[in-house]
Amino acid sequence: MTATFFKQLRFLAITCVIAAVISSCASLTSSSNNAKQTKAMGNWGVSGKIGITTPNESVAGFIEWQQREDEFNVFVSGPLSVGNTRIEGNSNEISITQNGKTTSGLNPEELIYEQLGWFFPVQNLPFWIKGQAAPYSKANVKQSDSGKIKQITQDNWQVAYPRYNAYYGQPSRIVIKQGQWKFLIVIKNWTFDS
């Protein structure tokens, strides 16, 4: 009986050690991936035009996007049916300010749909704007003969890059589509901070 007890105790101890090792490896991988994601986003900004086609309407306006690591600050203005709109947050939380009223939430894509009526892939967008697949899910990437990414298919969205900025080597025209939803972003200016 004592031998059986010690065998069970030893088995339990070994199981706990293995679980601890696996857990620490998983957290190291997770923090390593988070660091890579944040580094990939960097500090940058774009300004230009945006066209949005939904199942019900097509609207156009101007967009300014500031990215600071994993934090974004987006200002959309012009002849959009929603008027001037500021969207701030990260992949975990967001606030939307319209006509002096601010609404916050923990699910960025859901809040954008509730407040603006846009089915908008905001979590992936900082990567797509820079011509990169987002690291959160599997992506199919096609490159041109020159090595530039010309198309990304990810999370049921198709992202095309028909034009790049010759000076910065970054996308200057991005077409994002899924079904009847389409976003056209024409980038006029890129800025980069260290």
Side-chain angles (χ1 to χ4, degrees), residues 55-123:
N56 302 317
E57 63 180 346
S58 290
V59 293
F62 299 94
I63 185 169
E64 292 178 22
W65 186 300
Q66 293 295 319
Q67 188 76 33
R68 296 291 174 266
E69 302 301 346
D70 68 336
E71 301 282 331
F72 56 81
N73 186 331
V74 184
F75 183 68
V76 182
S77 63
L80 288 163
S81 59
V82 294
N84 296 341
T85 303
R86 184 169 299 280
I87 306 168
E88 298 175 87
N90 53 46
S91 60
N92 298 317
E93 59 183 341
I94 191 172
S95 68
I96 298 174
T97 303
Q98 256 183 311
N99 303 321
K101 180 186 170 192
T102 301
T103 308
S104 299
L106 298 178
N107 186 323
E109 293 181 5
E110 185 177 291
L111 188 65
I112 287 174
Y113 187 76
E114 285 175 5
Q115 296 297 311
L116 306 176
W118 304 345
F119 183 45
F120 198 60
V122 70
Q123 183 178 20

Side-chain angles (χ1 to χ4, degrees), residues 9-190:
L9 188 61
R10 190 172 78 185
F11 176 75
L12 183 62
I14 290 170
T15 304
C16 288
V17 169
I18 290 171
V21 169
I22 290 171
S23 174
S24 65
C25 287
S27 66
L28 282 173
T29 303
S30 175
S31 62
S32 171
N33 285 344
N34 287 342
K36 285 179 186 173
Q37 292 166 12
T38 300
K39 188 175 181 185
M41 287 195 214
N43 296 328
W44 52 268
V46 296
S47 60
K49 295 180 179 179
I50 185 169
I52 301 167
T53 302
T54 75
N56 302 317
E57 63 180 346
S58 290
V59 293
F62 299 94
I63 185 169
E64 292 178 22
W65 186 300
Q66 293 295 319
Q67 188 76 33
R68 296 291 174 266
E69 302 301 346
D70 68 336
E71 301 282 331
F72 56 81
N73 186 331
V74 184
F75 183 68
V76 182
S77 63
L80 288 163
S81 59
V82 294
N84 296 341
T85 303
R86 184 169 299 280
I87 306 168
E88 298 175 87
N90 53 46
S91 60
N92 298 317
E93 59 183 341
I94 191 172
S95 68
I96 298 174
T97 303
Q98 256 183 311
N99 303 321
K101 180 186 170 192
T102 301
T103 308
S104 299
L106 298 178
N107 186 323
E109 293 181 5
E110 185 177 291
L111 188 65
I112 287 174
Y113 187 76
E114 285 175 5
Q115 296 297 311
L116 306 176
W118 304 345
F119 183 45
F120 198 60
V122 70
Q123 183 178 20
N124 292 347
L125 214 52
F127 295 94
W128 291 350
I129 286 176
K130 290 190 73 182
Q132 303 169 355
Y136 311 115
S137 59
K138 187 177 178 182
N140 183 17
V141 178
K142 294 181 182 176
Q143 293 183 326
S144 66
D145 294 338
S146 63
K148 299 271 190 203
I149 290 180
K150 66 178 187 177
Q151 183 179 301
I152 297 170
T153 304
Q154 188 170 30
D155 296 334
N156 298 317
W157 289 92
Q158 187 179 80
V159 187
Y161 300 92
R163 197 165 60 225
Y164 278 79
N165 180 296
Y167 182 77
Y168 290 110
Q170 298 288 341
S172 61
R173 188 177 182 90
I174 306 166
V175 182
I176 304 167
K177 291 193 295 188
Q178 183 185 116
Q180 296 180 0
W181 294 86
K182 178 180 173 183
F183 298 90
L184 169 62
I185 301 173
V186 179
I187 299 171
K188 298 293 185 185
N189 297 299
W190 277 92

